[in-house]
């Protein structure tokens, strides 16, 4: 296997396109800045053109047959080796991730370890039994199914989890024999280069994974319009996902589109309130509110609203907000691109009557933002309707379980929902009646088991669950074989 040199040790030359095993730059480049020091350039990246995307598809097509015929053991070994390399280089990778997103360094390390766990899970999944055997009326004929890759996959990923989310898609895509054209968010370009370098060094052949960096708006048509595309896997904002899905709506390809950062939680009067406060703060704040299943609004039963609000405020006040590279920091700055958006969201909510009981924007420099808790938001108002990609959540008082359930099911997003209660009957009722794809009972919003399916039921209507065996089902298809022995 060919192991290629890295694109650029310092990310200064813009050589961040990997096409058919070769790193190259483009006529135009863009810079990215560290969210904690907004004027500090952390990398220069190539702005891919539709021509680059076409070349990436050509490379993926050229590698498809050979890679799909590679033994599963060989593909599994590459994924396993990549996991080992990630763990060996965790400090460098974590600093690259933090420079992209502003995520606290401890959270960055945890994300890289989770990416390694995903790689190892799918390495093991590749060696599980596959296919089925069917009885035939003809004693000389065997009827069976064999699992084959779907072909070329286009993977489009966001900036919020620049290692974990891409790995959850790339590992099963390439592991099960597909080739990939990958377009990461611009803000996650540094992490994307690092993850690509890792997979290449692990032994991935040329053309199996092709990386194109740049502006997604200028590349969307070329990414979805190539006739060689067999599967589209996207995570990110709702509007972008809808646009990409419409781009392939009239074609017979696999589509997995997830997005929408709105996860509600319910706290009933019989809950362990201290534990609920701890779990909710962890789910809402420790990734600076940028997890796609971040707890964004909390419905609290009237009789415990005052006590729970006090506990929540006390928990939030303990969080250390500051330099993301400091080991003591709990929550770092948000994305350069998101800070202005979140500030506008809070101003809009204030105009509608929302009241900030803790936190708010920090104007001391960089893109820092205090963890923020608001109240006084009607169900139809801005903070409950839109994606707020920052450490902000809303407290809403409700009379009982039914009112809380109606609130949680009233959002157009549905990646996850939580309930805190000591009543097992109510817990099971919530699990059955919630519209969310992942339900947390007395548990925070982190869905961090590599083998478990996840994602929303209704957010974008793709109905593909991602991760675990669901990922295997998405990136493979069953071929029926009739095998008749000769005379």
């Amino acid at each position: 296997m060919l192991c290629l040199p890295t694109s650029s040790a310092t990310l200064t030359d813009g050589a961040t396109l990997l096409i058919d095993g070769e790193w190259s730059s483009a006529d135009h480049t863009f810079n990215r800045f560290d969210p904690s020091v907004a004027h500090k350039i952390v990398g220069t990246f190539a702005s891919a053109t539709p021509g680059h995307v076409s070349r990436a598809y050509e490379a993926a097509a050229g590698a498809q047959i050979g890679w799909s015929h590679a033994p599963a053991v060989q593909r599994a070994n590459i994924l396993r080796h990549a996991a080992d390399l990630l763990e060996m280089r965790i400090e460098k990778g974590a600093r690259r991730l933090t420079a992209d997103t502003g995520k606290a360094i401890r959270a960055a390390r945890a994300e890289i370890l989770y990416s390694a766990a995903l790689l190892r899970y799918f390495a093991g999944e590749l060696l599980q039994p596959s296919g089925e055997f069917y009885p035939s009326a003809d004693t000389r004929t065997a009827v069976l199914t064999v699992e084959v890759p779907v072909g070329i996959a286009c993977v489009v990923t966001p900036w919020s989890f620049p290692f974990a989310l891409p790995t959850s898609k790339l590992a099963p895509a390439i592991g099960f024999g597909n080739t990939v054209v990958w377009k990461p968010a611009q803000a996650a370009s540094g992490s994307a280069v690092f993850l690509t370098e890792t997979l290449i060094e692990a032994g991935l052949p040329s053309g199996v994974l092709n990386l194109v960096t740049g502006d997604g708006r200028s590349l969307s048509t070329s990414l979805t319009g190539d006739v060689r595309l067999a599967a589209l896997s996207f995570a990110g904002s709702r509007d972008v996902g809808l646009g990409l899905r419409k781009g392939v709506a009239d074609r017979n390809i696999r589509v997995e589109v997830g997005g929408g950062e709105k996860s509600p939680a319910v706290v009933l009067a019989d809950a362990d309130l201290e534990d609920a406060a701890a779990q909710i703060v962890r789910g809402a704040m420790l990734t600076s509110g940028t997890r796609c299943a971040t707890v964004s609004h909390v419905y609290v039963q009237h009789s415990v609203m005052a006590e729970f609000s006090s506990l929540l405020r006390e928990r939030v006040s303990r969080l250390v907000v500051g330099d993301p590279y400091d080991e003591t920091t709990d929550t770092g700055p948000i994305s350069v691109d998101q800070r202005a958006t979140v500030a506008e969201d809070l101003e809009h909510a204030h105009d509608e009557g929302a009241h900030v009981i803790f936190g708010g924007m920090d104007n001391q420099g960089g893109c820092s933002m205090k963890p923020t808790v608001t109240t006084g938001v009607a169900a139809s108002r801005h903070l409950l309707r839109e994606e707020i990609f920052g450490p902000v959540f809303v407290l809403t008082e409700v009379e009982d379980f039914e009112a809380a359930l109606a609130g949680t099911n009233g959002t157009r997003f549905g990646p996850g929902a939580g309930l805190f209660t000591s009543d097992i009957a109510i817990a099971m009722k919530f699990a059955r009646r919630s519209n969310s794809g992942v339900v947390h009972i007395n548990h925070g919003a982190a869905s961090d088991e590599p083998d478990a399916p996840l994602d929303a039921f209704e957010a974008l209507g793709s109905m593909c669950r991602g991760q675990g065996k669901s990922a295997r089902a998405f990136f493979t298809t069953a071929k029926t074989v009739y095998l008749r022995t000769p005379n």
Side-chain angles (χ1 to χ4, degrees):
M1 295 264 180
L2 178 63
C3 293
L4 299 173
T6 59
S7 62
S8 169
T10 57
L11 291 181
T12 59
D13 60 5
T16 59
L17 303 178
L18 180 73
I19 299 175
D20 203 14
E22 294 187 1
W23 292 99
S24 64
S25 187
D27 291 339
H28 299 283
T29 60
F30 62 93
N31 294 326
R32 293 303 306 175
F33 298 85
D34 189 325
S36 64
V37 187
H39 61 275
K40 178 184 176 183
I41 295 177
V42 296
T44 299
F45 303 91
S47 292
T49 65
H52 291 117
V53 173
S54 180
R55 284 175 47 209
Y57 273 108
E58 184 177 352
Q64 176 61 44
I65 294 177
W67 182 241
S68 66
H69 291 167
V73 171
Q74 177 184 333
R75 289 185 258 125
N77 286 340
I78 291 173
L79 296 186
R80 198 173 293 109
H81 189 193
D84 293 340
L85 291 173
L86 276 182
E87 291 180 344
M88 289 168 54
R89 300 168 183 172
I90 188 169
E91 290 306 319
K92 181 178 179 182
R95 294 188 71 84
R96 181 74 65 85
L97 191 160
T98 295
D100 277 348
T101 67
K103 188 172 296 185
I105 195 71
R106 288 180 292 146
R109 290 193 196 101
E111 181 176 339
I112 291 175
L113 290 175
Y114 183 61
S115 294
L118 284 165
L119 287 162
R120 289 202 176 92
Y121 167 75
F122 284 110
E125 185 67 18
L126 292 181
L127 305 183
Q128 295 300 308
S130 67
E132 296 176 317
F133 190 90
Y134 295 86
S136 172
D138 182 354
T139 58
R140 292 172 54 193
T141 301
V143 183
L144 60 148
T145 60
V146 294
E147 184 180 82
V148 296
V150 296
I152 301 175
C154 175
V155 172
V156 181
T157 54
W159 60 270
S160 53
F161 278 77
F163 277 80
L165 272 172
T167 303
S168 72
K169 298 176 181 296
L170 296 177
I174 63 180
F176 290 112
N178 304 278
T179 54
V180 174
V181 175
W182 177 24
K183 165 61 181 71
Q186 280 186 295
S189 298
S191 298
V193 170
F194 188 95
L195 183 55
T196 300
E197 290 169 346
T198 302
L199 287 164
I200 295 300
E201 186 165 345
L204 204 62
S206 298
V208 173
L209 174 61
N210 302 276
L211 174 68
V212 289
T213 55
D215 178 30
R217 290 168 296 184
S218 64
L219 299 177
S220 60
T221 300
S222 55
L223 287 168
T224 60
D226 197 286
V227 296
R228 293 163 288 200
L229 176 63
L232 170 66
S233 182
F234 167 86
S237 75
R238 184 178 188 274
D239 290 343
V240 173
L242 288 171
L244 290 174
R245 191 180 67 179
K246 289 177 182 177
V248 297
D250 61 347
R251 298 165 58 194
N252 185 29
I253 70 170
R254 300 281 179 94
V255 180
E256 176 186 49
V257 179
E261 187 259 331
K262 276 290 169 186
S263 288
V266 175
V267 179
L268 298 182
D270 63 354
D272 180 335
L273 297 184
E274 288 199 14
D275 181 63
Q279 294 281 339
I280 287 171
V281 169
R282 174 177 175 267
M285 302 298 187
L286 292 190
T287 56
S288 300
T290 61
R291 186 188 295 270
C292 60
T294 291
V295 177
S296 57
H297 46 286
V298 184
Y299 297 92
V300 185
Q301 196 163 3
H302 168 76
S303 60
V304 294
M305 180 66 165
E307 181 181 359
F308 183 74
S309 297
S310 177
L311 288 169
L312 196 66
R313 178 169 182 155
E314 193 273 333
R315 281 275 178 182
V316 172
S317 68
R318 291 188 208 171
L319 295 175
V320 177
V321 183
D323 180 0
Y325 300 99
D326 190 318
E327 295 293 339
T328 65
T329 296
D330 294 313
T331 179
I334 57 178
S335 155
V336 173
D337 306 294
Q338 286 296 321
R339 188 181 190 277
T341 301
V342 174
E344 290 177 5
D345 289 331
L346 287 176
E347 184 177 350
H348 189 173
H350 179 268
D351 292 342
E352 291 181 331
H355 174 59
V356 174
I357 65 172
F358 190 87
M361 302 303 295
D362 185 346
N363 296 317
Q364 295 180 0
C367 297
S368 59
M369 178 180 178
K370 299 174 183 176
T372 301
V373 183
T374 67
T375 60
V377 181
S380 62
R381 299 295 181 90
H382 188 76
L383 288 184
L384 292 179
R385 285 200 314 264
E386 304 301 327
E387 296 178 86
I388 311 298
F389 229 58
V392 179
F393 68 82
V394 179
L395 280 179
T396 300
E397 189 173 309
V398 292
E399 188 63 32
D400 54 22
F401 169 76
E402 291 297 333
L405 180 66
T408 64
N409 285 342
T411 176
R412 61 179 176 172
F413 307 110
L419 172 68
F420 293 86
T421 182
S422 60
D423 188 329
I424 189 65
I426 289 292
M428 291 308 299
K429 184 183 291 188
F430 185 79
R432 289 193 300 269
R433 293 174 60 188
S434 169
N435 290 340
S436 295
V438 179
V439 174
H440 301 267
I441 305 296
N442 297 322
H443 181 260
S447 306
D448 51 7
E449 302 295 339
D451 56 340
L454 64 114
D455 218 334
F457 277 169
E458 298 184 347
L460 298 177
S462 68
M463 301 305 291
C464 295
R465 302 300 313 286
Q467 213 164 279
K469 293 186 182 300
S470 297
R472 180 176 196 144
F474 180 77
F475 286 111
T476 66
T477 189
K479 181 181 291 187
T480 303
V481 178
Y482 285 79
L483 180 61
R484 186 170 183 269
T485 58
N487 291 327

